[in-house]
Amino acid sequence: MSETLPAVPVHTSPFLADCRARVGIDVLAHAWNGIVIFALSEGPRRPAEMRKAIGGISPKVLNQTLRRLEGYGLVEHRRYAEAPPRVEYRLTDSGQSLLGPLWALAAWSREHGDGVLVAQERAERQQRG
């Protein structure tokens, strides 16, 4: 069964509210989305495995992030009929295709991250007076 997306005007400006480029920006706007996608880059994982690999993410926030990524069509889950119940999450083809841009962003962050942090600290000092 194929789904048909509603017609969306095609614009040449990436700054318009209905521009497709904003979809990608919105996906990356949530702090944990990219991290969870990276955590699933090597294959399916259970939530506890992801929390251990990621570190610093609460079960609640991980669950919210996984649900959001499922809603975006980037992640899917599989429930196993076992006792105790077991759930695994994996990237969809769309989620896999986002890894290239995420690796590019990671490379940019390694190269320019220190400069961004210095600029943020300078701006905070100026705001404090």
Side-chain angles (χ1 to χ4, degrees), residues 36-37 40 43-47 50 65-80 87-96:
V36 170
I37 290 169
L40 292 170
R45 284 189 161 178
R46 298 176 72 179
M50 280 187 275
T65 303
L66 288 166
R67 295 289 173 238
R68 184 172 46 252
L69 292 172
E70 278 188 282
Y72 293 157
L74 302 174
V75 168
E76 61 187 14
H77 73 274
R78 180 175 176 191
R79 296 185 192 283
Y80 293 88
V87 177
E88 282 185 342
Y89 291 86
R90 74 171 196 87
L91 294 175
T92 63
D93 290 342
S94 292
Q96 286 282 342

Side-chain angles (χ1 to χ4, degrees), residues 25-39:
I25 293 167
D26 287 345
V27 167
L28 296 179
H30 289 88
W32 289 105
N33 286 359
I35 304 300
V36 170
I37 290 169
F38 274 135

Side-chain angles (χ1 to χ4, degrees), residues 99-113:
L99 289 171
L102 284 172
W103 283 116
L105 182 60
W108 180 89
S109 297
R110 278 191 301 277
E111 185 174 341
H112 299 284

